[in-house]
Amino acid sequence: MTGLAGALALVALALVGDAHIMMALLLAVPLAAVTYVQARRARGEAARLQAEVAETHVEVAEGTLSLPYTSVLNALPDPVMVISAHEPDDLTGRRFVMVNRAGRRILKIQREAGLLVTAIRDPDVLEVVDEALFGGLEGEAVYELGGTQERIFRAYARPLGVGADGGRLALVVLHDETDIRRVERMRADFLANASHELRTPLASLAGFIETLRGHARGDEGARDRFLAIMHVQAERMSRLIDDLMSLSRIELNEHVRPLEDVDLAAAVLDVLDALSPLARDKGVVLDADAPGRGQLIITGDRDQVIQVAQNLVDNALKYSAPGGHIRIRLESGLSAEACVAQRMDLAARLSLLTPDHGPERFAALSVMDAGPGMEREHLPRLTERFYRVEGQKSGEKLGTGLGLAIVKHIMNRHRGGLAVESRPAHGTVFTAYFPMAERRLDKTRDVHNVIQAS
């Protein structure tokens, strides 16, 4: 830059001639001075940056620099782990020496270092980790996380060389493929279930249409009777498709927990208001034991909470005889054990869904009918798709067989539970329990105590 200033000064001298040499010098000298100062500043800034880079390298080498590397790893949505091992034959020597925030949350790890087998026990994943540690090979495997909320990951293992202590290092990244797998499974299940369950009503419709086009063409009585049956079959097909679509949507988002505050008492009372005309027509009494609106708040999805209550009450209505009695009861501030406590004397009892982890307190919705009840051997299969108890499949009780399956998947999404009690000739009780909203738990517990005391 200084040379450039000198050259500019010479050019100025050549242009102005001898008469104006003094003026040219006055122009060139300030230019040279300014350029010199700027050059010194640039060299000083470069020296400072070079010193900072050198200091950063020293901190990285000594392991004293935690930012921004730790922040970057903790900001990643996928679990990331660094695995260390010394001997190939020491199967218990594989340790994770670093795990990011997502890894600690998803794998339920409390410490930042520990034995690998305490976090991951899948043999396929452990095998690709060993190949990365001692074979220097990249690998991947499917990792299915256990529990009621099924999660599927793709585990990627990459070698990282040798650490400062002589141990071999490998990087493990878990990429969530739950949504992709659920979409594939939903499509396959929907096609299989729809083709299986729709075959009977479609065959019935086709047979009646052929009859009406044939020898019953002019028979008005047969035509009215057949059209009524065809209408029932068409409605059943419509309900079946609606239930299948609803179940597919619930399963697709089953691993995503809803976080809204929902007034459980208001949702149940709305359902009872909607079903009360049907109950009156059938001569069945709906008896609700519930706190007032706004006094029982849970964490969930209101539409799905309403669907749970509607399916359970509607199921009780189907199997209640005219003049029967259905009790709907809401309780709050219960432990998981209290939610599945006995509510019907001498009845067989089974937990159809138990939450893995959850808050200390739940709100329970119990629906008790006085219908025909069920034998113990039927209870484990009640939430299977299209399962119906023998002897309860005909007449107005005929349904799609998906109602309780939908209830179970909704409760699983809410991290809640579902239990059943039944006694032949005495009735059945279904209990669905939801996690209570943390910020309203103390207030709701106080209200529950007041209700119990009264």
Side-chain angles (χ1 to χ4, degrees):
M1 294 297 292
T2 304
L4 178 60
L8 290 174
L10 293 176
V11 171
L13 289 173
L15 291 175
V16 301
D18 293 339
H20 301 286
I21 290 177
M22 183 60 67
M23 187 178 295
L25 288 174
L26 292 174
L27 177 63
V29 170
L31 288 173
V34 171
T35 304
Y36 176 72
V37 172
Q38 291 177 343
R40 287 194 59 182
R41 288 179 179 175
R43 286 197 298 271
E45 183 69 15
R48 185 183 66 81
L49 292 175
Q50 185 176 4
E52 289 183 359
V53 171
E55 183 180 357
T56 301
H57 281 295
V58 171
E59 292 178 353
V60 172
E62 294 177 352
T64 60
L65 184 64
S66 60
L67 294 174
Y69 302 102
T70 302
S71 297
V72 170
L73 291 176
N74 284 328
L76 293 175
D78 291 335
V80 178
M81 307 175 72
V82 176
I83 312 300
S84 174
H86 288 79
E87 299 294 335
D89 297 332
D90 185 10
L91 299 180
T92 61
R94 278 68 163 160
R95 301 179 59 85
F96 58 89
V97 295
M98 192 285 299
V99 56
N100 68 344
R101 185 180 294 113
R104 292 193 296 272
R105 174 176 54 83
I106 293 175
L107 299 176
K108 297 179 176 60
I109 298 175
Q110 303 297 327
R111 298 174 296 175
E112 295 186 358
L115 294 177
L116 178 60
V117 293
T118 61
I120 300 177
R121 299 182 180 181
D122 188 276
D124 294 334
V125 177
L126 297 178
E127 182 178 352
V128 297
V129 171
D130 278 357
E131 291 177 352
L133 287 170
F134 302 105
L137 301 176
E138 299 181 354
E140 60 185 66
V142 175
Y143 176 45
E144 296 187 13
L145 198 61
T148 56
Q149 287 80 35
E150 184 183 24
R151 300 288 296 275
I152 302 176
F153 294 87
R154 174 75 60 175
Y156 298 92
R158 301 291 186 266
L160 293 180
V162 180
D165 61 350
R168 296 182 176 273
L169 300 176
L171 178 70
V172 176
V173 179
L174 302 179
H175 180 64
D176 195 344
E177 294 186 347
T178 305
D179 288 339
I180 298 175
R181 298 299 183 96
R182 285 185 184 277
V183 169
E184 294 175 353
R185 185 180 304 169
M186 179 187 70
R187 183 172 60 249
D189 289 347
F190 182 85
L191 291 175
N193 293 328
S195 62
H196 178 267
E197 291 297 317
L198 292 176
R199 183 177 294 113
T200 299
L202 280 175
S204 177
L205 288 174
F208 286 125
I209 291 173
E210 183 178 354
T211 302
L212 289 175
R213 294 178 63 184
H215 63 273
R217 181 190 299 270
D219 190 341
E220 293 185 2
R223 181 182 61 195
D224 293 340
R225 186 171 66 256
F226 290 163
L227 287 176
I229 298 174
M230 292 169 66
H231 179 70
V232 171
Q233 294 294 335
E235 285 187 335
R236 180 172 182 269
M237 291 172 61
S238 178
R239 292 195 306 270
L240 178 62
I241 293 174
D242 289 342
D243 285 351
L244 282 173
M245 293 298 296
S246 177
L247 183 59
S248 298
R249 286 192 297 267
I250 295 167
E251 287 183 322
L252 184 62
N253 297 315
E254 193 170 343
H255 63 290
V256 181
R257 182 178 183 177
L259 299 175
E260 303 174 6
D261 284 353
V262 179
D263 187 343
L264 178 60
V268 173
L269 292 175
D270 288 344
V271 169
L272 296 182
D273 290 341
L275 294 178
S276 58
L278 179 62
R280 283 196 301 268
D281 293 343
K282 195 172 182 180
V284 176
V285 177
L286 298 179
D287 182 12
D289 179 9
R293 296 175 184 268
Q295 297 183 7
L296 185 50
I297 307 300
I298 63 172
T299 300
D301 181 314
R302 190 175 192 276
D303 290 339
Q304 292 187 350
V305 171
I306 288 177
Q307 191 170 12
V308 167
Q310 183 167 336
N311 284 9
L312 292 181
V313 177
D314 184 66
N315 203 55
L317 282 171
K318 286 180 182 178
Y319 296 102
S320 294
H325 192 90
I326 298 176
R327 293 182 56 195
I328 299 96
R329 185 179 182 185
L330 285 176
E331 302 171 275
S332 63
L334 302 181
S335 65
E337 293 77 13
C339 290
V340 296
Q342 192 103 20
R343 288 173 170 81
M344 177 181 288
D345 294 335
L346 304 177
R349 181 178 50 171
L350 180 68
S351 179
L352 299 173
L353 175 67
T354 304
D356 283 340
H357 302 276
E360 192 177 34
R361 298 298 168 186
F362 295 84
L365 165 63
S366 299
V367 179
M368 177 185 296
D369 64 59
M374 295 169 286
E375 297 289 346
R376 179 184 295 271
E377 62 264 22
H378 295 294
L379 302 186
R381 302 190 60 188
L382 290 179
T383 55
E384 293 181 11
R385 298 183 183 190
F386 309 114
Y387 181 78
R388 288 183 287 269
V389 178
E390 291 293 335
Q392 300 180 6
K393 296 184 178 181
S394 60
E396 61 183 5
K397 301 182 181 65
L398 182 61
T400 63
L402 293 173
L404 291 177
I406 291 174
V407 169
K408 179 180 179 180
H409 285 285
I410 290 177
M411 298 309 302
N412 193 27
R413 185 187 179 216
H414 282 70
R415 309 305 191 257
L418 180 65
V420 61
E421 301 172 57
S422 191
R423 182 182 174 188
H426 287 79
T428 303
V429 183
F430 282 97
T431 301
Y433 50 101
F434 299 84
M436 297 189 67
E438 290 292 335
R439 64 185 183 86
R440 300 291 296 272
L441 183 57
D442 294 334
K443 180 178 179 181
T444 307
R445 186 185 294 113
D446 294 339
V447 172
H448 174 71
N449 292 335
V450 172
I451 294 174
Q452 292 286 67
S454 62

